[in-house]
């Protein structure tokens, strides 16, 4: 029964009393003990698919009268993300994945933000994927837009949208029942306290800390709560449907009547709301008010350099979207205190018909212990621990290192390649970033120029021939207060040692704290 595919058991990524701590690293196995809150792999991949559905596009394809809804898609192989896709002007998300990956989709797991249409599903099944998971709201062939007529494609006559949706549901069910891949709904409840943990750490992340440093008189908690409330409203409307009754009707029309039976239906809604709340909090941690990614004046390329010309940077909406991808990945960390996420995108020579345009995913990662290892065997202490042998720094693999190691495509010298990372790259990662051929870094620099003994951030400022885009107050705001800045660049901000106490923001569990949709 398909309803049994809803995961109602406890999150396997959380510690449970009395369990053996000698289990494999969650780079390969999600059953890891001994550390704080973290997203399960299923929930992480689902959240990424939802966020990809909201990828900002110059000319949004979707409108209120189109029978086709935009979708997000995450392609996973061996528990690692190898593709991030979304619907575009001509291609559905599934079609974009087929074009980019082809036969390499064999044995992959696919996470859709909605149930794919039969046109996409037949090709995906044919490619030999192992598993297809989808978010059971309004499907790609919408069942909500039933009051108007439209062309489903350029070769078909006008048809009733409801009739088209019903035919697609029948075809999808037949394809599902006769296919080798496991087609299911994979939703897991959040571990108790995880939503609050995401709320607290998002409110105090490096991006929010930057706002506090720049504008000490601003009520940043009020700003964060306002952004979170706005995102929660938008995301709920996007994914949760208007009412429970409407959701039941959609599930019935999709052939998923068994999901309407309790307790499946209540669990489904509860799990969906939990993920939407997480997504809203993570997005609110990178507020849009007067802030964005701006190139540092001293990071412009050397005219005598033999490296290819650099592009001028991504639109602010796209850059913010990518850094939030990295922030979602950070909540999968194995570091008990500091979560870091990294995503690498390359800009191709020409735009595709997919939703990401010229951008192609190169790799992504989070900080974790080496693959196949046992988590509890490694030291987990930070630099506050006096015994250096018990510190984690020689064992943890950084997010940038994982993104480079497990990249899905080569880095081409002629293509701008952009690293989005949630913390300033440390001295250990700088040579790797330069050697890998990355041309642009988008980050926050709260730890810049700081030496913490076991880990230092001294090389970032002197990094040459890589354009650095730092998240800070928008150029117009900075120009008003800093007369020596100009030409659209933002110089390195001067934060002195008095901010040292704010520099070591941790994703720890013992804290006692509490934008428009990117369309």
């Amino acid at each position: 029964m398909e309803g049994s595919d809803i995961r109602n058991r406890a999150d396997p990524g959380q510690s449970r009393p009395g369990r053996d701590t000698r289990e494999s690293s969650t780079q390969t196995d999600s059953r890891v003990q001994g550390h704080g809150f973290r997203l399960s792999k299923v929930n992480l991949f689902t959240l990424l698919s939802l966020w990809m559905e909201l990828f900002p596009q110059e000319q949004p394809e979707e409108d209120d009268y189109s029978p086709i809804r935009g979708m997000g898609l995450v392609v996973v192989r061996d528990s690692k993300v190898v593709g991030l896709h979304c619907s575009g002007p001509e291609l559905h998300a599934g079609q974009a994945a087929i074009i980019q990956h082809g036969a390499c989709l064999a044995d992959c797991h696919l996470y859709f933000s909605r149930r794919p249409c039969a046109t996409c599903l037949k090709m995906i099944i044919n490619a030999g994927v192992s598993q297809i998971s989808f978010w059971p709201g309004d499907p790609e062939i919408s069942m909500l837009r039933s009051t108007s007529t439209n062309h489903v494609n350029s070769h078909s006559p006008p048809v009733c949208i409801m009739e088209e949706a019903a035919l697609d549901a029948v075809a999808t069910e037949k394809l599902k029942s006769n296919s080798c891949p496991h087609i299911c709904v994979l939703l897991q409840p959040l571990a108790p306290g995880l939503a609050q943990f995401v709320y607290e750490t998002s409110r105090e992340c490096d991006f929010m800390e930057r706002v506090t440093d720049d504008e000490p008189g601003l009520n940043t908690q009020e700003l964060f709560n306002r952004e979170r409330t706005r995102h929660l409203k938008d995301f709920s409307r996007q994914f949760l449907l208007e009412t429970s009754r409407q959701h039941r009707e959609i599930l019935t029309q999709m052939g998923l009547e068994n999901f309407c039976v309790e307790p499946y239906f209540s669990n489904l809604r509860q799990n969906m709301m939990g993920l939407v709340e997480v997504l809203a909090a993570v997005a609110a941690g990178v507020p849009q008010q007067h802030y964005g990614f701006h190139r540092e004046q001293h990071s412009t390329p050397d005219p005598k350099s033999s490296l290819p010309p650099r592009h001028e940077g991504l639109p602010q909406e796209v850059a913010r979207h990518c850094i939030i991808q990295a922030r979602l990945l950070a909540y999968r960390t194995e570091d008990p205190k500091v979560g870091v996420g990294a995503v690498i995108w390359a800009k191709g020579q020409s735009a595709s018909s997919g939703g990401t345009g010229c951008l192609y995913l190169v790799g992504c990662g989070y900080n974790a212990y080496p693959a196949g290892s046992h988590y509890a065997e490694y030291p987990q202490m930070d630099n506050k621990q006096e015994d250096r042998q018990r510190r984690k720094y020689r064992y943890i693999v950084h997010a940038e290192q994982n993104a480079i190691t497990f990249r899905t495509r080569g880095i081409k010298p002629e293509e701008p390649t952009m690293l989005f990372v949630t913390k300033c790259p440390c001295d250990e990662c700088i040579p790797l970033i330069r050697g890998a051929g990355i041309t642009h870094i988008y980050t926050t620099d709260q730890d810049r120029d700081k030496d913490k003994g076991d880990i230092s951030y001294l090389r970032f400022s002197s990094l040459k021939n890589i354009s650095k885009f730092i998240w800070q107050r928008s150029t117009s705001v900075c120009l008003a207060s800093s007369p020596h800045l100009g030409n659209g660049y933002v110089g390195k901000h001067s934060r002195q040692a008095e901010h040292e106490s704010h520099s070591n923001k941790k994703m720890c569990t013992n804290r006692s704290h509490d934008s428009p949709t990117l369309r």
Side-chain angles (χ1 to χ4, degrees), residues 177-326:
S177 61
N178 288 282
S179 69
C180 294
H182 184 46
I183 302 177
C184 58
V185 171
L186 294 178
L187 294 176
Q188 294 178 336
L190 297 176
L194 178 57
Q196 180 68 16
F197 173 72
V198 174
Y199 173 85
E200 293 172 0
T201 52
S202 293
R203 190 187 59 190
E204 299 181 1
C205 68
D206 280 11
F207 299 93
M208 291 300 300
E209 181 185 339
R210 181 61 191 269
V211 178
T212 302
D213 287 352
D214 289 347
E215 305 178 55
L218 180 66
N219 188 333
T220 53
Q221 179 169 326
E222 180 181 335
L223 169 64
F224 176 82
N225 286 335
R226 185 169 64 247
E227 289 286 287
R228 175 182 172 273
T229 299
R230 182 161 42 187
H231 283 305
L232 187 60
K233 179 180 179 180
D234 290 338
F235 298 162
S236 297
R237 183 170 58 248
Q238 182 82 10
F239 300 115
L240 282 170
L241 303 176
E242 295 294 337
T243 63
S244 297
R245 178 179 178 180
Q246 185 184 57
H247 195 187
R248 288 181 188 271
E249 292 174 352
I250 291 293
L251 292 173
T252 300
Q253 294 168 15
M254 291 170 63
L256 301 178
E257 298 92 341
N258 48 335
F259 275 152
C260 297
V261 178
E262 297 292 354
Y264 293 129
F265 184 74
S266 295
N267 289 340
L268 180 71
R269 298 277 297 182
Q270 183 178 358
N271 294 345
M272 292 169 94
M273 177 54 75
L275 292 190
V276 166
E277 289 176 350
V278 166
L279 187 61
V282 172
V286 190
Q288 294 170 291
Q289 181 175 342
H290 305 315
Y291 279 77
F293 287 96
H294 301 284
R295 189 202 300 264
E296 286 190 341
Q297 188 173 17
H298 66 276
S299 69
T300 54
D302 183 353
K304 299 180 180 180
S305 173
S306 60
L307 294 176
R310 303 293 191 255
H311 75 137
E312 290 303 312
L314 297 174
Q316 291 295 340
E317 295 84 358
V318 176
R320 179 176 178 272
H321 192 278
C322 294
I323 204 70
I324 291 173
Q325 295 168 1

Side-chain angles (χ1 to χ4, degrees), residues 373-403:
S373 59
H374 295 287
Y375 174 84
E377 292 181 346
Y378 287 118
Q380 302 169 34
M381 302 299 178
D382 58 21
N383 58 356
K384 295 181 180 179
Q385 182 72 24
E386 292 185 3
D387 183 1
R388 293 191 66 190
Q389 291 186 356
R390 298 178 61 188
R391 296 179 186 174
K392 63 191 177 184
Y393 300 102
R394 296 183 184 273
Y395 305 94
I396 201 82
V397 182
H398 299 189
E400 303 98 311
Q401 296 168 355
N402 273 320

Side-chain angles (χ1 to χ4, degrees), residues 69-145:
R69 298 198 62 134
M71 290 209 311
L73 167 61
V74 178
V75 180
V76 177
R77 182 187 299 115
D78 297 329
S79 297
K80 297 176 177 63
V81 176
V82 298
L84 294 174
H85 305 278
C86 60
S87 302
E90 297 181 12
L91 296 175
H92 297 187
Q95 293 171 331
I98 288 286
I99 289 175
Q100 181 170 334
H101 302 281
C104 293
L105 286 175
D107 299 325
C108 287
H109 290 196
L110 274 59
Y111 292 78
F112 285 92
S113 62
R114 302 178 184 276
R115 191 190 67 181
C117 68
T119 299
C120 293
L121 188 59
K122 66 183 179 183
M123 291 188 293
I124 292 166
I125 292 173
N126 191 51
V129 302
S130 295
Q131 179 175 282
I132 300 168
S133 172
F134 62 90
W135 182 264
D138 192 31
E140 186 171 28
I141 302 294
S142 175
M143 295 192 170
L144 292 178
R145 298 166 182 176

Side-chain angles (χ1 to χ4, degrees), residues 49-63 68-73 84-94 96 113 140 238 315-319 321-322 325 345 351-359 516-519:
S49 73
L50 300 181
W51 187 237
M52 283 305 298
E53 180 170 315
L54 300 175
F55 193 93
Q57 300 181 27
E58 294 181 1
Q59 296 179 341
E61 170 198 13
E62 186 176 333
D63 59 58
I68 310 297
R69 298 198 62 134
M71 290 209 311
L73 167 61
L84 294 174
H85 305 278
C86 60
S87 302
E90 297 181 12
L91 296 175
H92 297 187
S113 62
E140 186 171 28
Q238 182 82 10
Q316 291 295 340
E317 295 84 358
V318 176
H321 192 278
C322 294
Q325 295 168 1
W345 287 89
S352 70
S353 298
T356 57
C358 296
L359 297 182
T517 302
L518 297 178
R519 273 289 188 191

